[in-house]
Amino acid sequence: MLGEGADTARLTLADVGEDGLLSVIFPLLPGGPGVLIGPGDDTALLSTPGGSVLATTDAMVRGRDWLDEWSTGADVGAKTVAQNVADIAAMGGVPTGLLVTLIADPGTSLAWVRDFIQGLATAAVEAGVPVLGGDLSSAPGGVLVVSVTALGSCQDREPVRRSGARVGDVLAVCGSLGHSAAGLLLLQRGRGELAPGLVAYHLRPRPPHEQGPVAAQAGASAMLDISDGLGRDAGRMARASGVRIQLDEALLGPDVAQLRAVVSEDDAWRCVSEGGEEHSLLACFPSGTELPTGWRKIGGVLEGSGVLLRGRLVRGGGWDHFGG
């Protein structure tokens, strides 16, 4: 255990050990009214009045999913929460609990881990979701992996799956398009000062998670979050639903225009149509449905297969974990 007032600035995980690390982490984790038993026992105990539970997980690897030159520990913590609550929202659910795993080189600084947990905890509080516990493990030198598993509830509604789109549906989005990708592009080019807001969005996406249940209540027929790019994720929806999705060039024009001040026209289109880690919500609604506030039409659902944009089928693009 770390004593009161202990100087942790230069300590590593090897210095404090597992119990010392947990003594730092536990006080930072937010609880919630549905948590019957929180961190500290072999498992947490969570009340599930609805009788069914949504479950999802996302992992991040240093050097692959983030670079320390750009991202702080708090950035990484916030992003792991954003990824997971967006997945829960995409099913029309609300998050009810998070489980956090940290796999770290023992030489990792305690300060980085504290920063990570504080960023994660702040994002969890903002999303209204408690942290239930998690796991720790050591790793070879230089390796740092974080993972969050989110649990959620549909609150007695049917989940909105990606396979429900039907011919004639309206395709709509809630949230931004291309902001994370444009922020990453600026960082890669050393020009982040041109648009600090875009860089900030890449480092800490802000998915409109509260809009998932709103879309479900409004009758959304299919939904997912844009994690790997608009074209790629719309393609997944089209494939699961057995339809073709048409993206409307004119309706996407304002999204492209927002980025043209800091990147080229071609780059802006690529960011909007292929950019990942946006975590905005993409959904289909039956024709004639009044779109909820905050949602806007960007296309429609046709007979056929694939995704059509600017008269061409979208092929490739977006993020692939194992792609070249």
Side-chain angles (χ1 to χ4, degrees), residues 111-210:
W112 188 94
V113 176
R114 186 198 296 273
D115 195 38
F116 164 73
I117 293 296
Q118 287 176 328
L120 181 146
T122 298
V125 169
E126 290 173 353
V129 57
V131 179
L132 307 176
D135 192 26
L136 298 171
S137 183
S138 61
V143 174
L144 186 54
V145 179
V146 299
S147 177
V148 169
T149 295
L151 306 177
S153 169
C154 286
Q155 300 176 314
D156 296 324
R157 295 182 300 272
E158 288 297 313
V160 183
R161 304 180 64 182
R162 60 180 63 179
S163 57
R166 297 292 179 262
V167 174
D169 280 359
V170 169
L171 181 73
V173 70
C174 183
S176 58
L177 291 173
H179 287 202
S180 180
L184 175 59
L185 194 61
L186 292 173
L187 285 171
Q188 291 170 333
R189 293 173 176 174
R191 303 299 303 277
E193 75 283 355
L194 293 179
L198 295 178
V199 170
Y201 194 94
H202 172 70
L203 298 177
R204 302 193 190 194
R206 298 178 297 279
H209 58 85
E210 71 285 348

Side-chain angles (χ1 to χ4, degrees), residues 8-318:
T8 62
R10 298 183 180 180
L11 295 179
T12 68
L13 303 190
D15 293 325
V16 300
E18 182 174 341
D19 288 343
L21 177 57
L22 291 176
S23 74
V24 172
I25 290 175
F26 282 171
L28 301 175
L29 302 180
V35 182
L36 305 180
I37 300 175
D41 276 87
D42 284 356
T43 76
L45 182 62
L46 183 67
S47 175
T48 56
S52 60
V53 177
L54 297 168
T56 185
T57 190
D58 272 289
M60 294 181 66
V61 181
R62 180 167 64 185
R64 186 63 174 170
D65 296 294
W66 87 86
L67 297 177
D68 286 340
E69 303 94 281
W70 299 337
S71 298
T72 65
D75 292 334
V76 177
K79 184 176 281 192
T80 58
V81 173
Q83 292 170 338
N84 280 275
V85 298
D87 283 339
I88 296 294
M91 300 292 285
V94 296
T96 55
L98 302 177
L99 296 164
V100 185
T101 296
L102 173 68
I103 304 170
D105 168 7
T108 302
S109 73
L110 179 61
W112 188 94
V113 176
R114 186 198 296 273
D115 195 38
F116 164 73
I117 293 296
Q118 287 176 328
L120 181 146
T122 298
V125 169
E126 290 173 353
V129 57
V131 179
L132 307 176
D135 192 26
L136 298 171
S137 183
S138 61
V143 174
L144 186 54
V145 179
V146 299
S147 177
V148 169
T149 295
L151 306 177
S153 169
C154 286
Q155 300 176 314
D156 296 324
R157 295 182 300 272
E158 288 297 313
V160 183
R161 304 180 64 182
R162 60 180 63 179
S163 57
R166 297 292 179 262
V167 174
D169 280 359
V170 169
L171 181 73
V173 70
C174 183
S176 58
L177 291 173
H179 287 202
S180 180
L184 175 59
L185 194 61
L186 292 173
L187 285 171
Q188 291 170 333
R189 293 173 176 174
R191 303 299 303 277
E193 75 283 355
L194 293 179
L198 295 178
V199 170
Y201 194 94
H202 172 70
L203 298 177
R204 302 193 190 194
R206 298 178 297 279
H209 58 85
E210 71 285 348
Q211 285 291 325
V214 172
Q217 292 167 352
S221 56
M223 185 159 52
L224 46 65
D225 81 296
I226 303 172
S227 55
D228 297 326
L230 175 61
R232 180 179 287 268
D233 288 322
R236 290 168 173 156
M237 183 182 287
R239 186 162 54 251
S241 300
V243 296
R244 170 174 288 184
I245 287 179
Q246 179 166 341
L247 300 173
D248 190 309
E249 179 179 0
L251 295 178
L252 292 174
D255 296 283
V256 173
Q258 288 183 36
L259 307 180
R260 277 202 302 256
V262 291
V263 299
S264 70
E265 176 89 8
D266 286 345
D267 284 339
W269 271 108
R270 277 192 290 270
C271 289
V272 168
S273 62
E274 300 179 14
E277 293 193 318
E278 197 76 12
H279 302 297
S280 296
L281 297 178
L282 184 70
C284 292
F285 295 87
S287 178
T289 301
E290 182 178 352
L291 294 181
T293 301
W295 289 81
R296 54 197 168 90
K297 179 180 177 180
I298 61 168
V301 181
L302 311 173
E303 292 183 355
S305 61
V307 178
L308 199 64
L309 173 62
R310 306 172 87 179
R312 298 181 180 180
L313 282 173
V314 175
R315 301 186 188 279

